[in-house]
Amino acid sequence: MTFSPLLEGSLLISNPDFISHGGVYQCIATNFFGTIVSRNARVQFACDFSRKPRNPVSVREGQAVVLLCAPPSHHGEIQYSWVFNREPRPLQQDARRFISQRTGNLYIAKVEAEDAGNYTCAVRNMMTNSSEFSSPTPLVVRRDVIMGEYEPKIEVRFPETLHISKGMSVKLECFALGNPVPSISWRRADGNSLAAKIKINHSVLEIPYFSPEDGGVYECVAENYRGKNVAKGHLIFQSKNAQMAIDANLQWECKAFGEPRPTYRWLKNGQPLTTHGRIHAEANTLTISKIALSDSGMYQCIAQNAFGSIHASAELKVAASPPDFTRSPVKKATVLQRGGELVLECRPDASPRATILWWRGSDLLRGGGRQTIMEDGTLRVTNITKLDEGRYTCVARNHFGASSSSGLLVVKEPTKIIAPPLSSDASVGQSLVLPCEVASDSTLSPVFKWFFNGKAIDFSRQDHFEMIGGVGDLMVRNVQLKHAGKYVCMVQTEVDTVSAAANLIVRGPPGASESPSVADVTDTTVKLSWSPAPDNHSPITMYTVQARTPFSIGWQTINTVPDSVPGQMMHAIVTDLIPWVDYEFRVVAVNAVGVGEPSTPSEPIRTKPAVPRVAPINVSGGGGAQGELVITWEVILEEQQSGEDFGYVVAFRPLGTSAWIQTAVASPDASRYVYRNDSIPPLSQFEVSVGVYNSVGEGPFSQVVVVLSSEGEPSEAPSDIRGRAASASEIVVFWEPVPSRSTNEIISYELLFWEEGTQQSDAGRVRAPNNTALLAGLKASTVYQISVRAQNNAGFGPCSPAVNISTRKPPPSQTPGSIRWSLTNSKIFLNWEPVKPSANESEVTGYKVEFRQNWNSRTLVLETNKTSIELQIPTGEDHVIEIKAVTEGGRWHQQRSDPHTKVVR
């Protein structure tokens, strides 16, 4: 123990624990006058779980399970919750899972596969606001055998009788185990509706602020299509005051706590209670037998010791009344099926308690056989028949009077399913009908409900399900794999419920197997293995293997050993792979219904490197500059390079010689090699072959082909050079092209031009792709000498003899003047003075008249060889008109008139 006495006698306990520090403490104070002892102080611990590991709980899938919290002894109000697999949020309750706040146990109505894991009970003490956690309870779900269906079994019940004081809040817990998961509903046995203040949360009914009207019998109904079960409890309003029937017995108990232990005495109407005969008081207990009217009054219990006293008061009312069915009459009408059980309660208010007699019509029922009259007056009749129909009357008597209450019993024929659904199988895409035909009492209207795997089918939200035929038949359209399972037809009437079940097996293409595993990787093969794919009720006949690389278009079926993998084999050797390539693999199962879903891809692997196996193709060449041998080939694709450090080996030799010249081209993207040697004659023949290599070694060479070296510069000059002046600054030149020979074709021409009388070294140069060229930017009225030469890949050929071509005179510098105009309606008449060129200017051949509207409109152009013109234009708008001279000295050379000349509307 760790104790630390503090100032003024306080005691501090450090790190308290239940075993060492729990118990009663007293403080002893001593001086030279004497010693005194304090009152008792008790140290109690709220809750502390054992750290001992809990044993695993093993259940079958579909079975129910109860996991015990088993909290240790504790003090104060506590709240229970459970944690699943150490998740941060507590386990959520629903129709399938329930946590009792009375026991702390976790109830699972129907265990599913995902319920497997570790469960921890958490206890929160509301007084200390602290939480304690139990050791985890492992739950193991066995799937070897699945639990069958069964009717509900109510595992969590509330007491059959509960005395509740005014204003208290009461919670009733009710939870059932079953397969399918039962639904829970609540009702009052007297048929009255539940009060609006009552709260229902799954399996808990809560009545706040309990009042006399809340008293009565409450029923919890657990139901699935396999049956139902009912739990009942009687809630009795309890007051400190008592209203007792005459001749009844009363016992009151008065409890008080104190040190020293208190003594008790009783008062009636403020006077000491005289105990004699029927009235007996012993310590804290008062007993009155065969209560009389004279016993009515106010009673007090006084508890006292040397330190003081306390009082408790209660009123005793003695009732004397004849039987009265006003508050609890016999149920007015009961409808049952033949073979069922009739239970009629008879509970009149009476003081003293009444004797009960039952009549059916005029016949007195004495009990015996199928009939039982229970001690509380309830009539029970089992295995009822049509002969039991009629009016039942309960007669109640005491020495103050008598009263009766009646109810009618109607017996109906039980409902039977005469054409139940039959277990079937279907293939994906088919449709089928599950029948459900019933025979029932003609006065009843049966209601059909269908359930699929324990859940009601909502036809308004289902495209595949439809009720047909005006009866209960179920059509399943376009059957899919998800529709396989258990179907239940439930038929409900006013008096009974019947059901029939059938299983539907759906055959479909196989499902996907798990990701295949890859082993034994070589440069061209791998070993592939996989788990069996779900056959979806049709045996798997074969598997195909598919592969994908960064170079393939999607997934491709590949070769395997064996070639066709049978459905019972889960491995194969994949062959004919490409070295040094990344592969992913997947398998696809096939059965009689169709091709299944592919598995998830394997982890990517890379095959091992190898010597290249593909030689370059389309090896050729030719052309180039003087003294060059140009060799070309198609690049080897990356997926065919088989390893790192890929390159090419170019081999060549003059035709007719034996020694090869070889050179390595280290770039995998190279497609051309040029060998230069000025001593190579033009158009020499060479044998050429291109090989491949990588870090593993050399691969194959291409077939040997003959390639010619470069041709040399063109040997001929262009002929028939001719031309004409296009304007004062332009000359068009034409010539006969030089013919191309062998592989060294003509690629362009070059024109050299210079003014007559100047040096050719000062010539201008213009390139032309064919045998026509335009020389622009020349001087007017000037003679030019022009020469042309051809060009190929080897260089330029000889120049042609120069020819002389002269440019034209320049256009006149004068513009049209003295422009005059007149407007008549929509016509404008224009005239102007002619342009007179000087001796060194080009002659005028005509005029262009341009006019446009508002500066922004499209310009119209008219030509004339006169000095006047008539224009047709719209009226009411401004126009701008320009007149330009046209000469041979320039193509569309424009001499503009005054740009501000206008025609005003």
Side-chain angles (χ1 to χ4, degrees), residues 357-366 371 387 391-393:
L357 292 177
W358 279 96
W359 298 76
R360 187 182 70 243
S362 59
D363 296 333
L364 176 65
L365 304 181
R366 302 182 181 277
Q371 301 174 358
L387 297 176
R391 182 166 296 280
Y392 286 76
T393 303

mmCIF file with all atom_site columns, all heavy atoms in Angstrom, residues 357-366 371 387 391-393:
data_model
loop_
_atom_site.group_PDB
_atom_site.id
_atom_site.type_symbol
_atom_site.label_atom_id
_atom_site.label_alt_id
_atom_site.label_comp_id
_atom_site.label_asym_id
_atom_site.label_entity_id
_atom_site.label_seq_id
_atom_site.pdbx_PDB_ins_code
_atom_site.Cartn_x
_atom_site.Cartn_y
_atom_site.Cartn_z
_atom_site.occupancy
_atom_site.B_iso_or_equiv
_atom_site.pdbx_formal_charge
_atom_site.auth_seq_id
_atom_site.auth_comp_id
_atom_site.auth_asym_id
_atom_site.auth_atom_id
_atom_site.pdbx_PDB_model_num
ATOM 1   N N   . LEU A 1 357 ? -66.786 -17.087 -13.242 1.00 0.00 ? 357 LEU A N   1
ATOM 2   C CA  . LEU A 1 357 ? -67.437 -18.171 -13.966 1.00 0.00 ? 357 LEU A CA  1
ATOM 3   C C   . LEU A 1 357 ? -67.466 -17.806 -15.440 1.00 0.00 ? 357 LEU A C   1
ATOM 4   O O   . LEU A 1 357 ? -67.671 -16.647 -15.808 1.00 0.00 ? 357 LEU A O   1
ATOM 5   C CB  . LEU A 1 357 ? -68.868 -18.386 -13.472 1.00 0.00 ? 357 LEU A CB  1
ATOM 6   C CG  . LEU A 1 357 ? -69.035 -18.925 -12.042 1.00 0.00 ? 357 LEU A CG  1
ATOM 7   C CD1 . LEU A 1 357 ? -70.509 -19.007 -11.683 1.00 0.00 ? 357 LEU A CD1 1
ATOM 8   C CD2 . LEU A 1 357 ? -68.383 -20.290 -11.893 1.00 0.00 ? 357 LEU A CD2 1
ATOM 9   N N   . TRP A 1 358 ? -67.285 -18.818 -16.322 1.00 0.00 ? 358 TRP A N   1
ATOM 10  C CA  . TRP A 1 358 ? -67.328 -18.600 -17.763 1.00 0.00 ? 358 TRP A CA  1
ATOM 11  C C   . TRP A 1 358 ? -68.504 -19.361 -18.366 1.00 0.00 ? 358 TRP A C   1
ATOM 12  O O   . TRP A 1 358 ? -68.781 -20.502 -18.007 1.00 0.00 ? 358 TRP A O   1
ATOM 13  C CB  . TRP A 1 358 ? -66.028 -19.082 -18.428 1.00 0.00 ? 358 TRP A CB  1
ATOM 14  C CG  . TRP A 1 358 ? -64.897 -18.095 -18.332 1.00 0.00 ? 358 TRP A CG  1
ATOM 15  C CD1 . TRP A 1 358 ? -63.912 -18.076 -17.401 1.00 0.00 ? 358 TRP A CD1 1
ATOM 16  C CD2 . TRP A 1 358 ? -64.659 -17.006 -19.215 1.00 0.00 ? 358 TRP A CD2 1
ATOM 17  N NE1 . TRP A 1 358 ? -63.061 -17.036 -17.614 1.00 0.00 ? 358 TRP A NE1 1
ATOM 18  C CE2 . TRP A 1 358 ? -63.495 -16.350 -18.751 1.00 0.00 ? 358 TRP A CE2 1
ATOM 19  C CE3 . TRP A 1 358 ? -65.306 -16.498 -20.338 1.00 0.00 ? 358 TRP A CE3 1
ATOM 20  C CZ2 . TRP A 1 358 ? -62.969 -15.230 -19.369 1.00 0.00 ? 358 TRP A CZ2 1
ATOM 21  C CZ3 . TRP A 1 358 ? -64.774 -15.390 -20.966 1.00 0.00 ? 358 TRP A CZ3 1
ATOM 22  C CH2 . TRP A 1 358 ? -63.621 -14.754 -20.485 1.00 0.00 ? 358 TRP A CH2 1
ATOM 23  N N   . TRP A 1 359 ? -69.170 -18.703 -19.332 1.00 0.00 ? 359 TRP A N   1
ATOM 24  C CA  . TRP A 1 359 ? -70.272 -19.312 -20.054 1.00 0.00 ? 359 TRP A CA  1
ATOM 25  C C   . TRP A 1 359 ? -70.022 -19.180 -21.548 1.00 0.00 ? 359 TRP A C   1
ATOM 26  O O   . TRP A 1 359 ? -69.504 -18.180 -22.022 1.00 0.00 ? 359 TRP A O   1
ATOM 27  C CB  . TRP A 1 359 ? -71.614 -18.602 -19.731 1.00 0.00 ? 359 TRP A CB  1
ATOM 28  C CG  . TRP A 1 359 ? -72.002 -18.678 -18.273 1.00 0.00 ? 359 TRP A CG  1
ATOM 29  C CD1 . TRP A 1 359 ? -71.495 -17.981 -17.245 1.00 0.00 ? 359 TRP A CD1 1
ATOM 30  C CD2 . TRP A 1 359 ? -73.022 -19.510 -17.730 1.00 0.00 ? 359 TRP A CD2 1
ATOM 31  N NE1 . TRP A 1 359 ? -72.090 -18.301 -16.056 1.00 0.00 ? 359 TRP A NE1 1
ATOM 32  C CE2 . TRP A 1 359 ? -73.064 -19.253 -16.335 1.00 0.00 ? 359 TRP A CE2 1
ATOM 33  C CE3 . TRP A 1 359 ? -73.949 -20.461 -18.255 1.00 0.00 ? 359 TRP A CE3 1
ATOM 34  C CZ2 . TRP A 1 359 ? -73.955 -19.903 -15.484 1.00 0.00 ? 359 TRP A CZ2 1
ATOM 35  C CZ3 . TRP A 1 359 ? -74.837 -21.095 -17.413 1.00 0.00 ? 359 TRP A CZ3 1
ATOM 36  C CH2 . TRP A 1 359 ? -74.830 -20.824 -16.034 1.00 0.00 ? 359 TRP A CH2 1
ATOM 37  N N   . ARG A 1 360 ? -70.396 -20.241 -22.301 1.00 0.00 ? 360 ARG A N   1
ATOM 38  C CA  . ARG A 1 360 ? -70.466 -20.137 -23.756 1.00 0.00 ? 360 ARG A CA  1
ATOM 39  C C   . ARG A 1 360 ? -71.934 -20.258 -24.127 1.00 0.00 ? 360 ARG A C   1
ATOM 40  O O   . ARG A 1 360 ? -72.543 -21.333 -23.980 1.00 0.00 ? 360 ARG A O   1
ATOM 41  C CB  . ARG A 1 360 ? -69.676 -21.233 -24.456 1.00 0.00 ? 360 ARG A CB  1
ATOM 42  C CG  . ARG A 1 360 ? -69.622 -21.005 -25.985 1.00 0.00 ? 360 ARG A CG  1
ATOM 43  C CD  . ARG A 1 360 ? -68.900 -22.076 -26.764 1.00 0.00 ? 360 ARG A CD  1
ATOM 44  N NE  . ARG A 1 360 ? -69.638 -23.321 -26.788 1.00 0.00 ? 360 ARG A NE  1
ATOM 45  C CZ  . ARG A 1 360 ? -69.231 -24.463 -26.280 1.00 0.00 ? 360 ARG A CZ  1
ATOM 46  N NH1 . ARG A 1 360 ? -68.045 -24.498 -25.675 1.00 0.00 ? 360 ARG A NH1 1
ATOM 47  N NH2 . ARG A 1 360 ? -69.972 -25.548 -26.324 1.00 0.00 ? 360 ARG A NH2 1
ATOM 48  N N   . GLY A 1 361 ? -72.488 -19.162 -24.533 1.00 0.00 ? 361 GLY A N   1
ATOM 49  C CA  . GLY A 1 361 ? -73.941 -19.130 -24.715 1.00 0.00 ? 361 GLY A CA  1
ATOM 50  C C   . GLY A 1 361 ? -74.612 -19.379 -23.383 1.00 0.00 ? 361 GLY A C   1
ATOM 51  O O   . GLY A 1 361 ? -74.400 -18.658 -22.400 1.00 0.00 ? 361 GLY A O   1
ATOM 52  N N   . SER A 1 362 ? -75.394 -20.441 -23.316 1.00 0.00 ? 362 SER A N   1
ATOM 53  C CA  . SER A 1 362 ? -76.080 -20.806 -22.065 1.00 0.00 ? 362 SER A CA  1
ATOM 54  C C   . SER A 1 362 ? -75.399 -21.940 -21.342 1.00 0.00 ? 362 SER A C   1
ATOM 55  O O   . SER A 1 362 ? -75.910 -22.441 -20.323 1.00 0.00 ? 362 SER A O   1
ATOM 56  C CB  . SER A 1 362 ? -77.545 -21.186 -22.376 1.00 0.00 ? 362 SER A CB  1
ATOM 57  O OG  . SER A 1 362 ? -77.573 -22.296 -23.292 1.00 0.00 ? 362 SER A OG  1
ATOM 58  N N   . ASP A 1 363 ? -74.238 -22.366 -21.863 1.00 0.00 ? 363 ASP A N   1
ATOM 59  C CA  . ASP A 1 363 ? -73.525 -23.490 -21.261 1.00 0.00 ? 363 ASP A CA  1
ATOM 60  C C   . ASP A 1 363 ? -72.448 -22.988 -20.317 1.00 0.00 ? 363 ASP A C   1
ATOM 61  O O   . ASP A 1 363 ? -71.609 -22.165 -20.693 1.00 0.00 ? 363 ASP A O   1
ATOM 62  C CB  . ASP A 1 363 ? -72.882 -24.362 -22.339 1.00 0.00 ? 363 ASP A CB  1
ATOM 63  C CG  . ASP A 1 363 ? -73.928 -25.012 -23.254 1.00 0.00 ? 363 ASP A CG  1
ATOM 64  O OD1 . ASP A 1 363 ? -75.059 -25.212 -22.785 1.00 0.00 ? 363 ASP A OD1 1
ATOM 65  O OD2 . ASP A 1 363 ? -73.594 -25.298 -24.435 1.00 0.00 ? 363 ASP A OD2 1
ATOM 66  N N   . LEU A 1 364 ? -72.465 -23.493 -19.080 1.00 0.00 ? 364 LEU A N   1
ATOM 67  C CA  . LEU A 1 364 ? -71.434 -23.167 -18.096 1.00 0.00 ? 364 LEU A CA  1
ATOM 68  C C   . LEU A 1 364 ? -70.189 -23.987 -18.386 1.00 0.00 ? 364 LEU A C   1
ATOM 69  O O   . LEU A 1 364 ? -70.264 -25.206 -18.564 1.00 0.00 ? 364 LEU A O   1
ATOM 70  C CB  . LEU A 1 364 ? -71.937 -23.448 -16.681 1.00 0.00 ? 364 LEU A CB  1
ATOM 71  C CG  . LEU A 1 364 ? -70.920 -23.232 -15.551 1.00 0.00 ? 364 LEU A CG  1
ATOM 72  C CD1 . LEU A 1 364 ? -70.528 -21.761 -15.466 1.00 0.00 ? 364 LEU A CD1 1
ATOM 73  C CD2 . LEU A 1 364 ? -71.505 -23.727 -14.225 1.00 0.00 ? 364 LEU A CD2 1
ATOM 74  N N   . LEU A 1 365 ? -69.059 -23.310 -18.434 1.00 0.00 ? 365 LEU A N   1
ATOM 75  C CA  . LEU A 1 365 ? -67.786 -23.994 -18.676 1.00 0.00 ? 365 LEU A CA  1
ATOM 76  C C   . LEU A 1 365 ? -67.134 -24.303 -17.345 1.00 0.00 ? 365 LEU A C   1
ATOM 77  O O   . LEU A 1 365 ? -66.904 -23.416 -16.525 1.00 0.00 ? 365 LEU A O   1
ATOM 78  C CB  . LEU A 1 365 ? -66.862 -23.113 -19.527 1.00 0.00 ? 365 LEU A CB  1
ATOM 79  C CG  . LEU A 1 365 ? -67.415 -22.645 -20.888 1.00 0.00 ? 365 LEU A CG  1
ATOM 80  C CD1 . LEU A 1 365 ? -66.382 -21.797 -21.624 1.00 0.00 ? 365 LEU A CD1 1
ATOM 81  C CD2 . LEU A 1 365 ? -67.815 -23.838 -21.749 1.00 0.00 ? 365 LEU A CD2 1
ATOM 82  N N   . ARG A 1 366 ? -66.835 -25.565 -17.148 1.00 0.00 ? 366 ARG A N   1
ATOM 83  C CA  . ARG A 1 366 ? -66.296 -25.993 -15.855 1.00 0.00 ? 366 ARG A CA  1
ATOM 84  C C   . ARG A 1 366 ? -64.811 -26.340 -15.932 1.00 0.00 ? 366 ARG A C   1
ATOM 85  O O   . ARG A 1 366 ? -64.216 -26.680 -14.906 1.00 0.00 ? 366 ARG A O   1
ATOM 86  C CB  . ARG A 1 366 ? -67.088 -27.202 -15.345 1.00 0.00 ? 366 ARG A CB  1
ATOM 87  C CG  . ARG A 1 366 ? -68.574 -26.918 -15.203 1.00 0.00 ? 366 ARG A CG  1
ATOM 88  C CD  . ARG A 1 366 ? -69.309 -28.125 -14.639 1.00 0.00 ? 366 ARG A CD  1
ATOM 89  N NE  . ARG A 1 366 ? -70.738 -27.869 -14.516 1.00 0.00 ? 366 ARG A NE  1
ATOM 90  C CZ  . ARG A 1 366 ? -71.306 -27.243 -13.487 1.00 0.00 ? 366 ARG A CZ  1
ATOM 91  N NH1 . ARG A 1 366 ? -70.539 -26.791 -12.511 1.00 0.00 ? 366 ARG A NH1 1
ATOM 92  N NH2 . ARG A 1 366 ? -72.613 -27.047 -13.454 1.00 0.00 ? 366 ARG A NH2 1
ATOM 93  N N   . GLN A 1 371 ? -60.364 -27.276 -22.185 1.00 0.00 ? 371 GLN A N   1
ATOM 94  C CA  . GLN A 1 371 ? -60.681 -26.012 -21.524 1.00 0.00 ? 371 GLN A CA  1
ATOM 95  C C   . GLN A 1 371 ? -59.951 -25.908 -20.187 1.00 0.00 ? 371 GLN A C   1
ATOM 96  O O   . GLN A 1 371 ? -59.917 -26.877 -19.415 1.00 0.00 ? 371 GLN A O   1
ATOM 97  C CB  . GLN A 1 371 ? -62.185 -25.889 -21.293 1.00 0.00 ? 371 GLN A CB  1
ATOM 98  C CG  . GLN A 1 371 ? -63.015 -25.954 -22.562 1.00 0.00 ? 371 GLN A CG  1
ATOM 99  C CD  . GLN A 1 371 ? -64.498 -25.980 -22.263 1.00 0.00 ? 371 GLN A CD  1
ATOM 100 O OE1 . GLN A 1 371 ? -64.906 -25.979 -21.100 1.00 0.00 ? 371 GLN A OE1 1
ATOM 101 N NE2 . GLN A 1 371 ? -65.328 -26.015 -23.312 1.00 0.00 ? 371 GLN A NE2 1
ATOM 102 N N   . LEU A 1 387 ? -67.164 -25.984 -33.571 1.00 0.00 ? 387 LEU A N   1
ATOM 103 C CA  . LEU A 1 387 ? -68.156 -26.117 -32.502 1.00 0.00 ? 387 LEU A CA  1
ATOM 104 C C   . LEU A 1 387 ? -67.872 -25.151 -31.347 1.00 0.00 ? 387 LEU A C   1
ATOM 105 O O   . LEU A 1 387 ? -68.756 -24.907 -30.527 1.00 0.00 ? 387 LEU A O   1
ATOM 106 C CB  . LEU A 1 387 ? -68.171 -27.565 -31.988 1.00 0.00 ? 387 LEU A CB  1
ATOM 107 C CG  . LEU A 1 387 ? -68.582 -28.637 -33.018 1.00 0.00 ? 387 LEU A CG  1
ATOM 108 C CD1 . LEU A 1 387 ? -68.469 -30.020 -32.415 1.00 0.00 ? 387 LEU A CD1 1
ATOM 109 C CD2 . LEU A 1 387 ? -69.996 -28.376 -33.527 1.00 0.00 ? 387 LEU A CD2 1
ATOM 110 N N   . ARG A 1 391 ? -70.608 -16.898 -28.322 1.00 0.00 ? 391 ARG A N   1
ATOM 111 C CA  . ARG A 1 391 ? -70.370 -15.789 -27.409 1.00 0.00 ? 391 ARG A CA  1
ATOM 112 C C   . ARG A 1 391 ? -69.920 -16.340 -26.069 1.00 0.00 ? 391 ARG A C   1
ATOM 113 O O   . ARG A 1 391 ? -70.569 -17.205 -25.483 1.00 0.00 ? 391 ARG A O   1
ATOM 114 C CB  . ARG A 1 391 ? -71.631 -14.948 -27.246 1.00 0.00 ? 391 ARG A CB  1
ATOM 115 C CG  . ARG A 1 391 ? -71.432 -13.729 -26.322 1.00 0.00 ? 391 ARG A CG  1
ATOM 116 C CD  . ARG A 1 391 ? -72.582 -12.748 -26.455 1.00 0.00 ? 391 ARG A CD  1
ATOM 117 N NE  . ARG A 1 391 ? -72.641 -12.181 -27.803 1.00 0.00 ? 391 ARG A NE  1
ATOM 118 C CZ  . ARG A 1 391 ? -71.868 -11.189 -28.225 1.00 0.00 ? 391 ARG A CZ  1
ATOM 119 N NH1 . ARG A 1 391 ? -70.965 -10.666 -27.417 1.00 0.00 ? 391 ARG A NH1 1
ATOM 120 N NH2 . ARG A 1 391 ? -71.999 -10.723 -29.458 1.00 0.00 ? 391 ARG A NH2 1
ATOM 121 N N   . TYR A 1 392 ? -68.814 -15.804 -25.585 1.00 0.00 ? 392 TYR A N   1
ATOM 122 C CA  . TYR A 1 392 ? -68.262 -16.215 -24.300 1.00 0.00 ? 392 TYR A CA  1
ATOM 123 C C   . TYR A 1 392 ? -68.485 -15.071 -23.310 1.00 0.00 ? 392 TYR A C   1
ATOM 124 O O   . TYR A 1 392 ? -68.208 -13.906 -23.610 1.00 0.00 ? 392 TYR A O   1
ATOM 125 C CB  . TYR A 1 392 ? -66.763 -16.524 -24.421 1.00 0.00 ? 392 TYR A CB  1
ATOM 126 C CG  . TYR A 1 392 ? -66.487 -17.837 -25.129 1.00 0.00 ? 392 TYR A CG  1
ATOM 127 C CD1 . TYR A 1 392 ? -66.607 -17.949 -26.513 1.00 0.00 ? 392 TYR A CD1 1
ATOM 128 C CD2 . TYR A 1 392 ? -66.118 -18.970 -24.400 1.00 0.00 ? 392 TYR A CD2 1
ATOM 129 C CE1 . TYR A 1 392 ? -66.358 -19.151 -27.163 1.00 0.00 ? 392 TYR A CE1 1
ATOM 130 C CE2 . TYR A 1 392 ? -65.864 -20.180 -25.043 1.00 0.00 ? 392 TYR A CE2 1
ATOM 131 C CZ  . TYR A 1 392 ? -65.992 -20.256 -26.427 1.00 0.00 ? 392 TYR A CZ  1
ATOM 132 O OH  . TYR A 1 392 ? -65.749 -21.458 -27.057 1.00 0.00 ? 392 TYR A OH  1
ATOM 133 N N   . THR A 1 393 ? -69.004 -15.457 -22.079 1.00 0.00 ? 393 THR A N   1
ATOM 134 C CA  . THR A 1 393 ? -69.329 -14.457 -21.061 1.00 0.00 ? 393 THR A CA  1
ATOM 135 C C   . THR A 1 393 ? -68.611 -14.789 -19.776 1.00 0.00 ? 393 THR A C   1
ATOM 136 O O   . THR A 1 393 ? -68.638 -15.939 -19.305 1.00 0.00 ? 393 THR A O   1
ATOM 137 C CB  . THR A 1 393 ? -70.843 -14.403 -20.804 1.00 0.00 ? 393 THR A CB  1
ATOM 138 O OG1 . THR A 1 393 ? -71.514 -14.118 -22.038 1.00 0.00 ? 393 THR A OG1 1
ATOM 139 C CG2 . THR A 1 393 ? -71.185 -13.324 -19.782 1.00 0.00 ? 393 THR A CG2 1
#
